[in-house]
mmCIF file of all heavy atoms in Angstrom:
data_model
loop_
_atom_site.group_PDB
_atom_site.id
_atom_site.type_symbol
_atom_site.label_atom_id
_atom_site.label_comp_id
_atom_site.label_asym_id
_atom_site.label_seq_id
_atom_site.Cartn_x
_atom_site.Cartn_y
_atom_site.Cartn_z
ATOM 1 N N PHE B 157 50.822 124.707 9.119
ATOM 2 C CA PHE B 157 49.805 125.055 10.114
ATOM 3 C C PHE B 157 50.441 125.211 11.496
ATOM 4 O O PHE B 157 50.197 126.202 12.204
ATOM 5 C CB PHE B 157 48.720 123.973 10.133
ATOM 6 C CG PHE B 157 47.650 124.207 11.158
ATOM 7 C CD1 PHE B 157 46.660 125.145 10.934
ATOM 8 C CD2 PHE B 157 47.649 123.494 12.349
ATOM 9 C CE1 PHE B 157 45.676 125.371 11.880
ATOM 10 C CE2 PHE B 157 46.673 123.718 13.298
ATOM 11 C CZ PHE B 157 45.690 124.656 13.065
ATOM 12 N N ALA B 158 51.287 124.249 11.858
ATOM 13 C CA ALA B 158 51.942 124.314 13.172
ATOM 14 C C ALA B 158 52.813 125.571 13.273
ATOM 15 O O ALA B 158 52.830 126.259 14.293
ATOM 16 C CB ALA B 158 52.785 123.056 13.395
ATOM 17 N N ARG B 159 53.519 125.860 12.189
ATOM 18 C CA ARG B 159 54.368 127.047 12.171
ATOM 19 C C ARG B 159 53.521 128.319 12.308
ATOM 20 O O ARG B 159 53.905 129.261 13.018
ATOM 21 C CB ARG B 159 55.176 127.079 10.869
ATOM 22 C CG ARG B 159 56.105 128.272 10.716
ATOM 23 C CD ARG B 159 57.230 128.163 11.722
ATOM 24 N NE ARG B 159 58.058 129.373 11.751
ATOM 25 C CZ ARG B 159 57.710 130.507 12.354
ATOM 26 N NH1 ARG B 159 56.532 130.608 12.940
ATOM 27 N NH2 ARG B 159 58.527 131.535 12.344
ATOM 28 N N SER B 160 52.374 128.346 11.655
ATOM 29 C CA SER B 160 51.501 129.517 11.693
ATOM 30 C C SER B 160 50.931 129.740 13.092
ATOM 31 O O SER B 160 50.830 130.873 13.565
ATOM 32 C CB SER B 160 50.344 129.360 10.704
ATOM 33 O OG SER B 160 50.839 129.284 9.398
ATOM 34 N N ILE B 161 50.544 128.650 13.745
ATOM 35 C CA ILE B 161 50.006 128.753 15.108
ATOM 36 C C ILE B 161 51.038 129.401 16.026
ATOM 37 O O ILE B 161 50.703 130.176 16.916
ATOM 38 C CB ILE B 161 49.645 127.335 15.634
ATOM 39 C CG1 ILE B 161 48.372 126.839 14.982
ATOM 40 C CG2 ILE B 161 49.489 127.333 17.151
ATOM 41 C CD1 ILE B 161 47.089 127.352 15.591
ATOM 42 N N GLY B 162 52.305 129.111 15.811
ATOM 43 C CA GLY B 162 53.353 129.616 16.691
ATOM 44 C C GLY B 162 53.938 130.944 16.261
ATOM 45 O O GLY B 162 54.796 131.499 16.946
ATOM 46 N N GLU B 163 53.482 131.477 15.125
ATOM 47 C CA GLU B 163 54.094 132.677 14.564
ATOM 48 C C GLU B 163 53.921 133.893 15.504
ATOM 49 O O GLU B 163 52.831 134.199 15.959
ATOM 50 C CB GLU B 163 53.475 132.946 13.186
ATOM 51 C CG GLU B 163 53.734 134.311 12.598
ATOM 52 C CD GLU B 163 55.175 134.768 12.692
ATOM 53 O OE1 GLU B 163 56.088 133.920 12.705
ATOM 54 O OE2 GLU B 163 55.400 135.985 12.800
ATOM 55 N N PHE B 164 55.036 134.583 15.753
ATOM 56 C CA PHE B 164 55.001 135.715 16.678
ATOM 57 C C PHE B 164 55.693 136.967 16.119
ATOM 58 O O PHE B 164 55.058 137.997 15.890
ATOM 59 C CB PHE B 164 55.654 135.301 18.009
ATOM 60 C CG PHE B 164 55.767 136.426 18.996
ATOM 61 C CD1 PHE B 164 54.641 136.908 19.652
ATOM 62 C CD2 PHE B 164 57.002 137.017 19.255
ATOM 63 C CE1 PHE B 164 54.744 137.948 20.567
ATOM 64 C CE2 PHE B 164 57.102 138.063 20.160
ATOM 65 C CZ PHE B 164 55.978 138.533 20.817
ATOM 66 N N GLY B 165 56.986 136.826 15.838
ATOM 67 C CA GLY B 165 57.809 138.009 15.549
ATOM 68 C C GLY B 165 57.366 138.828 14.352
ATOM 69 O O GLY B 165 57.171 140.049 14.445
ATOM 70 N N ALA B 166 57.189 138.148 13.210
ATOM 71 C CA ALA B 166 56.806 138.886 12.007
ATOM 72 C C ALA B 166 55.409 139.480 12.173
ATOM 73 O O ALA B 166 55.130 140.600 11.723
ATOM 74 C CB ALA B 166 56.840 137.949 10.793
ATOM 75 N N THR B 167 54.536 138.730 12.860
ATOM 76 C CA THR B 167 53.159 139.183 13.027
ATOM 77 C C THR B 167 53.079 140.443 13.871
ATOM 78 O O THR B 167 52.433 141.433 13.491
ATOM 79 C CB THR B 167 52.312 138.062 13.671
ATOM 80 O OG1 THR B 167 52.488 136.867 12.934
ATOM 81 C CG2 THR B 167 50.845 138.437 13.710
ATOM 82 N N ILE B 168 53.751 140.430 15.030
ATOM 83 C CA ILE B 168 53.615 141.578 15.919
ATOM 84 C C ILE B 168 54.297 142.809 15.318
ATOM 85 O O ILE B 168 53.871 143.945 15.517
ATOM 86 C CB ILE B 168 54.155 141.251 17.337
ATOM 87 C CG1 ILE B 168 53.551 142.224 18.345
ATOM 88 C CG2 ILE B 168 55.665 141.252 17.379
ATOM 89 C CD1 ILE B 168 53.713 141.797 19.783
ATOM 90 N N THR B 169 55.345 142.577 14.490
ATOM 91 C CA THR B 169 56.002 143.697 13.826
ATOM 92 C C THR B 169 55.103 144.278 12.739
ATOM 93 O O THR B 169 54.992 145.491 12.572
ATOM 94 C CB THR B 169 57.323 143.234 13.173
ATOM 95 O OG1 THR B 169 58.057 142.474 14.126
ATOM 96 C CG2 THR B 169 58.146 144.415 12.703
ATOM 97 N N PHE B 170 54.453 143.395 12.009
ATOM 98 C CA PHE B 170 53.672 143.808 10.850
ATOM 99 C C PHE B 170 52.312 144.393 11.247
ATOM 100 O O PHE B 170 51.933 145.482 10.796
ATOM 101 C CB PHE B 170 53.497 142.603 9.917
ATOM 102 C CG PHE B 170 52.715 142.878 8.673
ATOM 103 C CD1 PHE B 170 52.823 144.107 7.996
ATOM 104 C CD2 PHE B 170 51.873 141.913 8.133
ATOM 105 C CE1 PHE B 170 52.107 144.352 6.843
ATOM 106 C CE2 PHE B 170 51.159 142.162 6.977
ATOM 107 C CZ PHE B 170 51.279 143.383 6.343
ATOM 108 N N VAL B 171 51.562 143.669 12.098
ATOM 109 C CA VAL B 171 50.194 144.109 12.374
ATOM 110 C C VAL B 171 49.961 144.437 13.843
ATOM 111 O O VAL B 171 48.826 144.670 14.258
ATOM 112 C CB VAL B 171 49.163 143.054 11.919
ATOM 113 C CG1 VAL B 171 49.102 143.003 10.406
ATOM 114 C CG2 VAL B 171 49.494 141.700 12.501
ATOM 115 N N SER B 172 51.044 144.438 14.634
ATOM 116 C CA SER B 172 50.955 144.857 16.020
ATOM 117 C C SER B 172 50.045 143.934 16.838
ATOM 118 O O SER B 172 49.728 142.827 16.418
ATOM 119 C CB SER B 172 50.459 146.310 16.074
ATOM 120 O OG SER B 172 50.308 146.733 17.398
ATOM 121 N N ASP B 173 49.656 144.377 18.032
ATOM 122 C CA ASP B 173 48.853 143.559 18.941
ATOM 123 C C ASP B 173 47.501 144.217 19.135
ATOM 124 O O ASP B 173 47.334 145.105 19.972
ATOM 125 C CB ASP B 173 49.614 143.435 20.285
ATOM 126 C CG ASP B 173 48.768 142.769 21.359
ATOM 127 O OD1 ASP B 173 47.735 142.157 21.007
ATOM 128 O OD2 ASP B 173 49.133 142.867 22.537
ATOM 129 N N VAL B 174 46.527 143.802 18.319
ATOM 130 C CA VAL B 174 45.186 144.365 18.426
ATOM 131 C C VAL B 174 44.253 143.282 18.954
ATOM 132 O O VAL B 174 44.012 142.288 18.268
ATOM 133 C CB VAL B 174 44.671 144.857 17.053
ATOM 134 C CG1 VAL B 174 43.294 145.491 17.208
ATOM 135 C CG2 VAL B 174 45.662 145.823 16.429
ATOM 136 N N PRO B 175 43.730 143.445 20.199
ATOM 137 C CA PRO B 175 42.860 142.411 20.760
ATOM 138 C C PRO B 175 41.685 142.122 19.830
ATOM 139 O O PRO B 175 41.063 143.039 19.294
ATOM 140 C CB PRO B 175 42.373 143.040 22.079
ATOM 141 C CG PRO B 175 43.423 144.041 22.423
ATOM 142 C CD PRO B 175 43.947 144.563 21.128
ATOM 143 N N GLY B 176 41.423 140.844 19.620
ATOM 144 C CA GLY B 176 40.296 140.434 18.789
ATOM 145 C C GLY B 176 40.573 140.518 17.303
ATOM 146 O O GLY B 176 39.745 140.113 16.487
ATOM 147 N N GLU B 177 41.698 141.077 16.916
ATOM 148 C CA GLU B 177 41.978 141.237 15.485
ATOM 149 C C GLU B 177 43.305 140.554 15.116
ATOM 150 O O GLU B 177 43.352 139.753 14.180
ATOM 151 C CB GLU B 177 42.021 142.721 15.131
ATOM 152 C CG GLU B 177 41.960 143.023 13.654
ATOM 153 C CD GLU B 177 40.631 142.653 13.003
ATOM 154 O OE1 GLU B 177 39.562 143.032 13.514
ATOM 155 O OE2 GLU B 177 40.663 141.979 11.969
ATOM 156 N N THR B 178 44.374 140.908 15.835
ATOM 157 C CA THR B 178 45.668 140.289 15.533
ATOM 158 C C THR B 178 46.278 139.621 16.756
ATOM 159 O O THR B 178 47.416 139.169 16.699
ATOM 160 C CB THR B 178 46.678 141.334 15.007
ATOM 161 O OG1 THR B 178 47.042 142.215 16.093
ATOM 162 C CG2 THR B 178 46.109 142.136 13.866
ATOM 163 N N ARG B 179 45.545 139.561 17.862
ATOM 164 C CA ARG B 179 46.114 138.945 19.070
ATOM 165 C C ARG B 179 45.936 137.435 19.026
ATOM 166 O O ARG B 179 44.983 136.886 19.551
ATOM 167 C CB ARG B 179 45.475 139.531 20.335
ATOM 168 C CG ARG B 179 46.140 139.009 21.610
ATOM 169 C CD ARG B 179 45.605 139.663 22.855
ATOM 170 N NE ARG B 179 46.167 140.993 23.051
ATOM 171 C CZ ARG B 179 45.843 141.781 24.083
ATOM 172 N NH1 ARG B 179 44.961 141.373 24.987
ATOM 173 N NH2 ARG B 179 46.384 142.982 24.205
ATOM 174 N N THR B 180 46.884 136.771 18.364
ATOM 175 C CA THR B 180 46.863 135.307 18.283
ATOM 176 C C THR B 180 47.484 134.735 19.561
ATOM 177 O O THR B 180 47.952 135.488 20.416
ATOM 178 C CB THR B 180 47.662 134.841 17.061
ATOM 179 O OG1 THR B 180 48.974 135.394 17.148
ATOM 180 C CG2 THR B 180 47.021 135.315 15.765
ATOM 181 N N LEU B 181 47.522 133.426 19.659
ATOM 182 C CA LEU B 181 47.992 132.777 20.884
ATOM 183 C C LEU B 181 49.340 133.287 21.388
ATOM 184 O O LEU B 181 49.442 133.731 22.540
ATOM 185 C CB LEU B 181 48.053 131.260 20.672
ATOM 186 C CG LEU B 181 46.832 130.456 21.140
ATOM 187 C CD1 LEU B 181 46.937 129.017 20.674
ATOM 188 C CD2 LEU B 181 46.698 130.521 22.654
ATOM 189 N N PRO B 182 50.392 133.252 20.585
ATOM 190 C CA PRO B 182 51.694 133.684 21.106
ATOM 191 C C PRO B 182 51.674 135.157 21.529
ATOM 192 O O PRO B 182 52.284 135.522 22.547
ATOM 193 C CB PRO B 182 52.649 133.478 19.926
ATOM 194 C CG PRO B 182 51.942 132.563 19.011
ATOM 195 C CD PRO B 182 50.482 132.799 19.198
#
Side-chain angles (χ1 to χ4, degrees):
Chain B
F157 178 77
R159 180 68 188 78
S160 297
I161 285 279
E163 166 46 29
F164 175 73
T167 308
I168 201 165
T169 312
F170 180 37
V171 289
S172 178
D173 172 15
V174 182
E177 194 67 50
T178 70
R179 186 175 282 180
T180 55
L181 264 171

